[in-house]
């Protein structure tokens, strides 16, 4: 092919249409913006307390089991507040991580899976920043990349985006420490 055959001539209207196609939101089969749906679901999950562990319910007396089955969550801090709270104990943060991991694994849609992935990494970010503890086998390099990717998602709430930015910086600093100690 010569250079002329490779060159595509587009009118201003065609260029505008092509650009608008690239900028249009991703819609699901119902015509709903997927990012808006993710943001809404993430907000909903983060604004509620973590559900009661089924093993805790099973260990209760029969009279309380019935009551707990009607109350899906124990009254407490919303998940979003827990993830951003520097004073929350590491055991609670590990529970959130495990809850998100289990919920993401059993998710019935990609949207739910993505939501719980954000919560999972939110717990890891909390442990790094507020407890100076790595509660995952992922390397600092991988974590830095994960946190970076979440800061670029429009549907991730700004509070979590800030947490991920700080965690990303933390990981970069840890990588520099490791590199300097290896010299």
């Amino acid at each position: 092919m010569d250079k002329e055959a490779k060159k595509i001539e587009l009118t201003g209207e065609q260029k505008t249409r092509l650009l608008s196609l690239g900028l249009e939101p991703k819609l699901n089969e119902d015509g709903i913006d997927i990012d808006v749906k993710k943001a809404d679901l993430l907000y909903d999950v983060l604004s509620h307390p973590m559900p009661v562990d089924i093993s805790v319910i099973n260990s209760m007396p029969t009279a309380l089991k019935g009551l707990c089955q009607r109350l899906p969550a124990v009254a407490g801090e919303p998940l979003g507040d827990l993830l951003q709270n520097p004073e929350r104990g590491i055991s609670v943060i590990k529970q959130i991580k495990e809850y998100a991991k289990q919920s993401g694994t059993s998710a019935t849609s990609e949207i739910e899976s993505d939501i719980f992935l954000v919560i999972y990494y939110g717990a890891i970010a909390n442990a790094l920043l507020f407890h100076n503890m790595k509660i995952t086998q992922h390397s600092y390099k991988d974590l830095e990349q994960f946190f970076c990717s979440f800061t670029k998602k429009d549907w991730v709430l700004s509070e979590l985006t800030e947490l991920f930015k700080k965690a990303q910086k933390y990981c970069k600093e840890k990588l520099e420490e490791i590199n300097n100690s290896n010299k």
Side-chain angles (χ1 to χ4, degrees), residues 5 20 27 50 55 57 61 64 71 99 115 149-150 162-163 175:
S20 70
L27 303 178
M50 193 164 61
S55 62
I57 293 173
L64 289 178
L71 298 172
Y99 162 70
I115 295 309
S149 71
F150 290 129
E162 289 305 311
L163 184 73
L175 284 169

Side-chain angles (χ1 to χ4, degrees), residues 25-161:
K26 295 178 189 170
L27 303 178
N28 67 7
E29 60 277 355
D30 299 327
I32 298 171
D33 185 337
I34 293 172
D35 284 351
V36 170
K37 194 169 182 176
K38 283 182 183 180
D40 289 346
L41 182 59
L42 181 59
Y43 178 81
D44 287 345
V45 172
L46 292 175
S47 64
H48 290 89
M50 193 164 61
V52 176
D53 185 349
I54 195 68
S55 62
V56 172
I57 293 173
N58 289 336
S59 69
M60 294 180 168
T62 307
L64 289 178
K65 282 183 189 178
L67 182 61
C68 283
Q69 288 171 347
R70 287 181 271 169
L71 298 172
V74 172
E77 281 184 78
L79 269 174
D81 292 350
L82 291 171
L83 288 175
Q84 298 173 66
N85 187 341
E87 297 173 11
R88 189 52 54 212
I90 192 66
S91 63
V92 172
I93 301 306
K94 287 179 179 179
Q95 286 175 342
I96 293 170
K97 178 186 162 238
E98 287 308 309
Y99 162 70
K101 184 177 182 178
Q102 290 171 359
S103 298
T105 302
S106 63
T108 58
S109 71
E110 185 179 332
I111 291 174
E112 285 180 20
S113 180
D114 288 350
I115 295 309
F116 287 109
L117 193 63
V118 167
I119 295 170
Y120 175 85
Y121 281 102
I124 293 170
N126 175 293
L128 290 172
L129 295 171
F130 305 136
H131 301 282
N132 199 30
M133 187 180 292
K134 193 168 93 159
I135 59 172
T136 182
Q137 296 298 315
H138 292 294
S139 69
Y140 285 113
K141 181 177 175 134
D142 288 345
L143 288 173
E144 189 262 330
Q145 291 172 348
F146 289 132
F147 295 141
C148 179
S149 71
F150 290 129
T151 64
K152 297 176 181 176
K153 305 279 186 204
D154 291 336
W155 55 269
V156 175
L157 305 177
S158 61
E159 298 86 4
L160 285 180
T161 299

Side-chain angles (χ1 to χ4, degrees), residues 172-182:
K172 280 182 182 179
E173 291 170 358
K174 282 292 186 185
L175 284 169
E176 287 176 15
E177 286 177 25
I178 292 167
N179 288 335
N180 290 336
S181 68
N182 290 335

